[in-house]
Each structure stands twice: as C-alpha cells, then as structure tokens.
C-alpha cells in the first residue's frame, strides 16, 4: 500500500481517538517501510515486506505499550500506527509475514489488490469518511482526550499511584 493511504487511514483513526497523537501515529504507520531504508543505510540487506512487516512484532509492541508501559501515549500511537500498516498491507496480493517463525504470508480479505490499485484509495477514503463521522459524534475532541493525561499527571505528582492505576484504562 502507498504511504499516502497508510497515513490517511492511521491518521484518521487516531484523530478520532486522540488528535494530538496523529503525527506520531502517521510516523508509525509508515515505519515498516522507512525502517527498511534505515536497515539498508546501515549496510544490511533486507527483503521488502520482510522483517519490518511481521504482524506479531507490531501487535506485541502495541499491546505492550497499551497495557504495560508507555510514555504519554507516544509508543502506543506509534505501535498501533505500525499495526495499521501491516493490516492494510495484508489486504494486498503479496501479503505480509504473520510471525517470525513461518514464511507463510498473511492476507486479509483475500488479499485482492496490488499496491497503487484504485481500491486502496477507495479504502483510505472510506476510512477517512467514517472517522469524520465519528469525530463529529464525539464533538471533535477525540474519544479519549484525557487518555494519556493520567500518566502525565502521575509524572507531575498531581495524582497518586492508586488513582493512576484505577483510572488509566478509563477512556471517557
Ligand atoms: Zn509496507
């Protein structure tokens, strides 16, 4: 899938959940591709849609940052952006590797289209429209405007650990 569409999809979804995290989420949503450049710059040869596109790696990072540790939602926005990249790449013909232990490709919705196909723009446009509608419902404030602030307040010593523990999963 093209970067434009990866960015649109992740950015739109993130704007509904937490607008301030959109840039980080877009950085994460393009990361599996630009990380390949980084690897190449360091002199390593790597396959396109290889090690940076492993579904279980991104999912593990996303779950870990969601439930174990994160700093102000930054790691979380980045990792879920990465997951969105893998899931949307999985809809294309070449698919993505599911886990590091198998060479089998993982496909979503049958993996029907090729990168650059008009369908991918249609999917991105559909996601953006749905997200605009959702953002409207939440008044454009984001679903969870205080989501990351619980840990921010904890850092500043405004609330104690118990308050942080009981509130950190409260979204609204
Ligand atoms: Zn990719």
């Amino acid at each position: 899938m093209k970067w434009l569409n990866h960015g649109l999809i992740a950015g739109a979804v993130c704007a509904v959940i937490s607008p301030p995290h959109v840039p980080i989420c877009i950085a994460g949503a393009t990361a599996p591709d630009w990380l390949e450049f980084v690897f190449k710059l360091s002199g390593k040869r790597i396959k396109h849609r290889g090690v940076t596109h492993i579904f279980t790696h991104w999912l593990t990072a996303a779950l870990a940052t969601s439930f174990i540790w994160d700093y102000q939602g930054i790691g979380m926005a980045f990792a879920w952006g990465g997951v969105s990249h893998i899931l949307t790449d999985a809809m294309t013909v070449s698919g993505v590797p599911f886990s590091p232990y198998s060479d089998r490709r993982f496909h979503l919705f049958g993996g029907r289209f090729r990168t650059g196909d008009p369908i991918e723009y249609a999917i991105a446009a559909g996601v953006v429209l749905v997200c605009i509608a959702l953002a409207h419902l939440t008044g454009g404030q984001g679903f969870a405007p205080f989501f990351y602030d619980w840990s921010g307040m904890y850092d500043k010593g405004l609330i104690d650990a118990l308050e942080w523990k009981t509130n950190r999963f409260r979204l609204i």
Side-chain angles (χ1 to χ4, degrees):
M1 189 170 261
K2 302 248 183 204
W3 284 31
L4 172 72
N5 294 320
H6 280 306
L8 280 175
I9 290 170
V13 173
C14 189
V16 175
I17 300 166
S18 178
H21 289 104
V22 168
I24 304 154
C25 190
I26 291 177
T30 48
D33 289 340
W34 59 252
L35 280 174
E36 289 180 353
F37 282 107
V38 176
F39 271 109
K40 274 182 196 144
L41 285 179
S42 70
K44 285 198 180 113
R45 296 188 131 267
I46 69 164
K47 260 198 316 193
H48 180 52
R49 287 199 183 170
V51 70
T52 62
H53 279 68
I54 294 173
F55 178 66
T56 50
H57 283 175
W58 284 99
L59 189 67
T60 307
L63 293 175
T65 49
S66 301
F67 298 108
I68 299 169
W69 184 87
D70 193 17
Y71 180 71
Q72 304 208 351
I74 291 171
M76 196 175 149
F78 190 86
W80 282 110
V83 169
S84 84
H85 182 115
I86 305 307
L87 289 180
T88 46
D89 267 0
M91 292 186 224
T92 64
V93 174
S94 35
V96 289
F98 185 79
S99 83
Y101 305 107
S102 116
D103 246 1
R104 276 198 48 194
R105 307 302 272 188
F106 161 56
H107 289 100
L108 268 184
F109 305 119
R112 294 290 162 72
F113 64 89
R114 285 174 196 285
T115 294
D117 198 274
I119 285 199
E120 100 167 52
Y121 292 90
I123 293 172
V127 170
V128 169
L129 285 176
V130 168
C131 289
I132 290 173
L134 283 176
H136 224 72
L137 287 177
T138 61
Q141 297 298 307
F143 226 4
F146 307 112
F147 204 14
Y148 52 97
D149 263 10
W150 290 111
S151 55
M153 281 198 269
Y154 176 57
D155 287 341
K156 290 183 207 120
L158 290 174
I159 51 175
D160 63 26
L162 182 74
E163 255 182 293
W164 177 74
K165 271 214 165 100
T166 48
N167 286 307
R168 66 187 162 144
F169 294 130
R170 223 167 75 186
L171 298 186
I172 33 181

